[in-house]
Amino acid sequence: MNQGQVMDKIMLRLTVVDDYPPVASEGVWAELQPDGLYRIANFPFYSQDVCYDDEVAVQVEADGLKWFRQVGRSSGNSTLRVVFFKAGRERIAEVLERIDALGCRWEGMSQAFFAVNVPASVSLDSVLEYLQACFDQDWLDYESGLLRQ
């Protein structure tokens, strides 16, 4: 983090269906911008409302927390989530290296669960095709957070 950056936690409401996701909200770090929007500074693991680098409007609610209201400026990025099956655990490093090589970045929540940011400049189809090939080999499963391509 650059000195002088002010980071705030922005809360995102989640829709829970059949006990997934396992929480009703998640927090992401965001940097206050001069115009009052907050730039999302890490990858959401469950939200389908925002992506990394989006600039969002928030509302401070009675609980004192800053809650996501709407995207003010879209980054054009997309978010995917990947969970590795037991049979694919030895392939994690290989898969993450390939995701890097395709131009994406990822953050891990656990040893087997990762959020992937697909920049607007990267072919989402190429990433999805690769993940589908891994799925077909029973290494992992994946889902979309918010797709913008």
Side-chain angles (χ1 to χ4, degrees), residues 82-104:
V82 177
V83 62
F84 285 86
F85 299 139
K86 190 171 185 179
R89 297 282 167 100
E90 69 276 1
R91 302 283 192 166
I92 292 174
E94 170 188 337
V95 170
L96 294 177
E97 285 173 19
R98 178 71 186 275
I99 287 170
D100 284 342
L102 288 168
C104 302

Side-chain angles (χ1 to χ4, degrees), residues 65-85:
L65 297 174
K66 293 178 176 80
W67 287 88
F68 165 77
R69 199 173 74 225
Q70 68 187 37
V71 174
R73 271 191 292 282
S74 168
S75 62
N77 294 340
S78 296
T79 303
L80 300 169
R81 289 180 274 280
V82 177
V83 62
F84 285 86
F85 299 139

